[in-house]
Amino acid sequence: MNDRPNHEERAYLAWNELTRAAGERRRLRYKEIGQPLGIHHRAVGFALGPIHRYCIREKLPPLSILVVNGTGRPGKGFTAWEWERFDEGCERVFNYPWASRSNPFLYAATGARIEELATELLSTADPGEVYSRVRDRGSAQDLFRKAMLKTYRSRCAVCALPIVEALDAAHIKRWSACNHKERLDPANGILLCRNDHALFDAGLFAVAADGRLRLNRARLKSDAIDELDGTVLSRPASPDHGPGIEYLRWHREHTAGLDE
């Protein structure tokens, strides 16, 4: 049993309160939003944290800017918008069509957490069924990244970089070409550092069926990454977690444009 406060569940509730307030062009005091969440106003910041990070990641207006203290401004922990442009930030939030966007924390409505869903995804869960619970693209990608961090032991599969902040979950078959199941299928992912992710998505290298990296000589303009040619991609401990042969073939053909 997990006794830690579920900030994602509280973010789900806070999102509903904030988007309602935005539609009514009003701001909320910390106590006002703390009451429907069932928490003390001093703990509201923990519920706003996931919303704050989500809006930054998805390049949305800073929704949490609407929560203010006695000065009429957010608390010191607010960093999603420039202080000197506070009124402009509020206007952007007021004018955004929040009703057209579903609550990104819907998965947490029943108490679930992204970390728990990532563990479930790597066990026996159907990726399509998990996706139906998450729905929101940003949350789904966050979940996918957490699953890739677990299965690749927080190291880039190409260069072994162990810095979590610099690691991405790269889809082998690109997101836009996937069905719901493929979008969260662990076999459709590789954990890569930002540089290797950019090279992979640009088709500058692909992964052969034997797991060796194959450079795309036709697209490369220099020999800067020659040392990657023929190196072996690190694989997860469980073969069920990929990378999937069919996904790698799709990437070679559709992204890199390489023959078998």
Side-chain angles (χ1 to χ4, degrees):
M1 182 176 178
N2 195 335
D3 294 325
R4 291 183 297 109
N6 191 334
H7 300 313
E8 292 161 88
E9 184 177 21
R10 290 171 177 173
Y12 164 75
L13 297 171
W15 179 276
N16 293 335
E17 296 295 323
L18 289 172
T19 53
R20 185 181 302 114
E24 298 169 355
R25 299 184 64 82
R26 61 186 176 88
R27 299 174 186 133
L28 299 170
R29 299 289 285 270
Y30 281 87
K31 184 177 291 187
E32 285 182 87
I33 196 166
Q35 288 175 342
L37 270 58
I39 57 176
H40 191 275
H41 67 272
R42 293 185 184 279
V44 164
F46 293 109
L48 297 182
I51 295 174
H52 172 105
R53 293 187 291 273
Y54 178 85
C55 288
I56 291 175
R57 187 175 70 238
E58 297 299 305
K59 297 180 173 57
L60 294 173
L63 187 57
S64 56
I65 201 173
L66 298 185
V67 183
V68 299
N69 57 28
T71 69
R73 297 290 181 98
K76 294 180 180 179
F78 179 80
T79 58
W81 192 257
E82 298 89 340
W83 282 90
E84 61 273 15
R85 297 168 57 210
F86 173 73
D87 290 335
E88 178 190 339
C90 288
E91 282 301 311
R92 291 199 180 193
V93 171
F94 291 151
N95 294 329
Y96 187 82
W98 297 104
S100 66
R101 179 177 284 269
S102 61
N103 189 320
F105 306 100
L106 186 62
Y107 65 87
T110 57
R113 305 170 194 254
I114 283 286
E115 286 286 351
E116 295 166 352
L117 290 178
T119 299
E120 185 179 341
L121 193 63
L122 294 172
S123 57
T124 58
D126 171 23
E129 191 278 327
V130 175
Y131 185 87
S132 71
R133 281 186 273 160
V134 178
R135 298 185 190 177
D136 175 74
R137 175 171 178 167
S139 296
Q141 291 182 326
D142 187 27
L143 165 59
F144 194 65
R145 180 174 182 270
K146 282 181 167 52
M148 290 297 99
L149 285 168
K150 288 175 180 290
T151 195
Y152 281 91
R153 306 177 192 84
S154 298
R155 288 181 177 272
C156 173
V158 171
C159 68
L161 182 74
I163 302 175
V164 171
E165 294 79 2
L167 298 175
D168 293 336
H171 278 84
I172 304 170
K173 182 177 181 180
R174 64 174 176 268
W175 174 277
S176 61
C178 290
N179 59 37
H180 290 176
K181 180 176 181 178
E182 292 169 335
R183 286 175 175 175
L184 286 184
D185 185 355
N188 189 26
I190 305 175
L191 190 69
L192 297 173
C193 70
R194 300 277 162 76
N195 286 343
D196 290 328
H197 188 183
L199 295 172
F200 185 72
D201 280 357
L204 297 182
F205 76 81
V207 182
D210 63 359
R212 294 185 181 276
L213 271 57
R214 181 179 170 191
L215 297 187
N216 191 338
R217 300 291 182 183
R219 295 186 187 177
L220 286 167
K221 306 299 182 182
S222 73
D223 58 2
I225 60 171
D226 273 4
E227 70 278 3
L228 295 183
D229 198 30
T231 59
V232 179
L233 188 79
S234 295
R235 294 176 180 267
S238 172
D240 292 337
H241 298 161
I245 297 298
E246 291 304 316
Y247 289 125
L248 292 175
R249 179 179 292 114
W250 190 97
H251 178 269
R252 289 195 300 274
E253 294 177 358
H254 297 276
T255 301
L258 294 173
D259 296 328
E260 289 297 321

